[in-house]
Amino acid sequence: MKWKHLLGFTLTAGLAAASIPGAMAPAFAAPTSQLIAGSVASAAVDGAIDYTVYLPAGYDESAATRYPTLYLLHGRGDTQAAWQHQSSVLDELIEAGSIPAMVVIMPDAPWSSRGNYYVDSLYTGGSASPGMAVETAFTTDLIAHIDESYATIDDRESRAVGGYSMGGAGALRYVTAHQDLFGSAIALSPAVYVPSPPLDSSTREFGAYGSESALYDDARYQALNYPSTFASFDPQLPVHLFIAVGDDEWANPLPEDAIHDLDYEAATLYNHAKRVPGMTSELRVYDGGHDWDVWDTGFREGILNISSYLRTAPAQPFEGRQFGSGGDDRSGGVLGRTDGSLVQALNADGDMLGHTSQGGYDILLQKLASDGTQEWLTPIATGLNDRAYGVVDGGDGAVITAGFQRRDHAGASNDDVLAVKVDADGTELWRTTFGSEAAADRAYGVASDGEGGAYVTGYTSGALPGGSSAGDKDAFIAKIDADGSVAWTQQFGSSGEDKGLAVARSADGGVYVGGLAGGSMPGSSSAGGYDGWVAKFTADGTREWLSQLGSSSTDQVSALIATATGVAATGFTGGDLGGESLGDNDVFIAALDAAGTVQWLTHDGSSGDDRGAAITLDASGNLLVVGHTSGAIGTPSGGVDVFSMAVSPTGTVGERAQFGSVARDGADEWDEANLYIAGGGSTWVQALTYGSVDGAASNGSGDIALTRLSFDAVVDGASAPGIVPGATTPAGGPSFGPLAFTGSDLVPLALLSMILISAGFILRKRRRWVNTLG
């Protein structure tokens, strides 16, 4: 009996495997994993497809749990038994919680003398047996049979394929030619060749790529090879590849054939793949040859890598509103108003909202009324790049945005810091630029000074007026008065690359600033690699303190917000800042008091790449952190998602949520964040998306998504005002840092209700939807 989930998942319920011809019945709620033989008839191969299925410990066909699936394809000349020794690896990683429990299928492929390359052959016979339609058999009969016979999730994002050598070629073919069936793949030493295989390749020997009486037909090979599938790839159905190869692959003796050494071919594949919109990829090169020394290592790392892309539960709808041009747009900041309206900055890479592109990026400041209608649109555009990194209150209904503008300095084009103020009606009041004429200067964060002006932070590659370079890029903090004049600038840094990325006004009228440092900042010492840092300046520009936060790996402060006792920071760490590494980058949240002393430091995340990018708080001091993840902080939606994480005033992490489209959200293709959250009437979230919100279509490469969230808190059982429509923004206002690394994806904070129970507090998060207009 089939049950259709409203979100498109097909779930099998109450179906005994023994009732399906050729299937073996697994034990009920097996305490240990099982390897079970199975078979399914297929007219495409004029016989049966034999397979072995791995069922994880605790597998129960009659239970509500449904499992993602992984299909493992063996190499030429091997059998389904080749993969079976990986069952112990699966047991270990599933038991440790490193990967989700899954059903793994290991099919046999005996056709064309076990050299069929998992494709549909057009070879009719002669010197070898006729070819078979193996691809059709596997992608129709086998998958349908598995989903009918076992407790699997019938969805592309819950299905992966892997293989080594010939099987690696098959896995690559299936995941790119059948995007409707597979969302990720592990390709180990894949036997793929561009443009054509060498003369001694088995691709030419057994008729896999043959036609009629010819064992090999180059036109057929070209039609099935990955350049063809990449050319027709649909970016709306994203795919992730994990590619691994040994550094001691067999070397073709002729120098002109070196491009067909499989380590060379794997690197070529990777470099092709990372340039395909909608496709992400990882490449690993191990010490070893074309054997299980490499494939065992590759499978272990590969299954860990792709597991974050395997959906184990239905995704929540990605609600919100989408904006974009035909180009690669970026989010630029959002400011909520107490009447439910908002002002947002859009970085347009083409014509958008009736504005004709002036060249490069143009900044579009847009005000939307509480019903979603546009009140005004103000372009800030030149013939060169103009970028915004935040929108803040400018007093009397005005707003200020800051970022950079590329300017012509006597024939040399360099970026200068840009700040612009527009009034309540959208009329530009002033535009201020400053920087060193011979080098790049950018603002990456902006905060209101509470007096109609702003604080901005970023970096300079040269020397600002009154400053001097400490080496490479330096961080700076600047005060811009209500009339647009620059009151003061402070330049500071290490001998390495330093950037100011986030800024927040302190309760005493001073300013907190944070970012990343490539060395020892003034008065501090480096922990190794890049470190995060937070500093405090007075209202007249005097530095009071600077605290450097780091591990031996890369660490970064991406966002700040003033609190009742000091300042809270979030960002990411590649090491053990605040706790043991969970894998790749992790999120950290830190609280510092008014003197710069760390009060607490919390480390959280998944086995994937997790980065805190924006932060806000309610009137009771509960924090809401938003960022992006390639892992599973909540339930993955596909690709890279946005996450939210609630944190108590003492640093205890409560409920986590994850949301987005099936594509990349919250970060660009270089994993640099472009994600904003802002208080006001509601908590608005704005981010880059390479996919689309529900009911919308992608306008181009990167678009901007917008949603809003309100949350309120109950502390010790007593009601306390939170950030809700009509409430005022907490003192100091939220930070609008660009997250040093900018890419962007707006994330509607999903149809998830967030209930946090930790450290004696409960935080309830309610989603409010923006009209999907225009």
Side-chain angles (χ1 to χ4, degrees), residues 455-619:
Y455 294 105
V456 297
T457 189
Y459 78 80
T460 175
S461 297
L464 298 180
S468 61
S469 175
D472 204 324
K473 294 182 176 71
D474 289 342
F476 76 83
I477 178 70
K479 171 72 161 56
I480 301 177
D481 286 338
D483 61 359
S485 59
V486 179
W488 51 260
T489 62
Q490 291 291 343
Q491 179 176 344
F492 55 100
S494 71
S495 59
E497 181 180 7
D498 315 303
K499 294 179 181 179
L501 302 172
V503 59
R505 179 169 56 92
S506 64
D508 61 4
V511 60
Y512 297 106
V513 60
L516 84 165
S520 297
M521 295 291 275
S524 296
S525 59
S526 172
Y530 283 98
D531 289 346
W533 55 269
V534 180
K536 170 75 184 307
F537 287 79
T538 63
D540 63 4
T542 302
R543 187 173 71 245
E544 295 184 354
W545 51 260
L546 187 150
S547 296
Q548 196 156 339
L549 308 172
S551 67
S552 59
S553 188
T554 296
D555 314 285
Q556 176 178 300
V557 169
S558 300
L560 298 172
I561 190 165
T563 67
T565 58
V567 63
T570 190
F572 65 87
T573 174
D576 55 2
L577 183 62
E580 185 176 347
S581 174
L582 301 171
D584 208 326
N585 292 307
D586 297 326
V587 181
F588 78 82
I589 310 101
L592 291 80
D593 64 20
T597 302
V598 175
Q599 298 174 300
W600 52 258
L601 186 57
T602 297
H603 184 125
D604 201 81
S606 72
S607 61
D609 185 359
D610 316 304
R611 307 190 191 193
I615 190 169
T616 189
L617 84 170
D618 70 8

Side-chain angles (χ1 to χ4, degrees), residues 121-131 206-207 210-215:
S121 172
L122 301 182
Y123 178 64
T124 56
S127 59
S129 59
F206 303 106
S211 180
E212 298 182 347
S213 61
L215 279 171

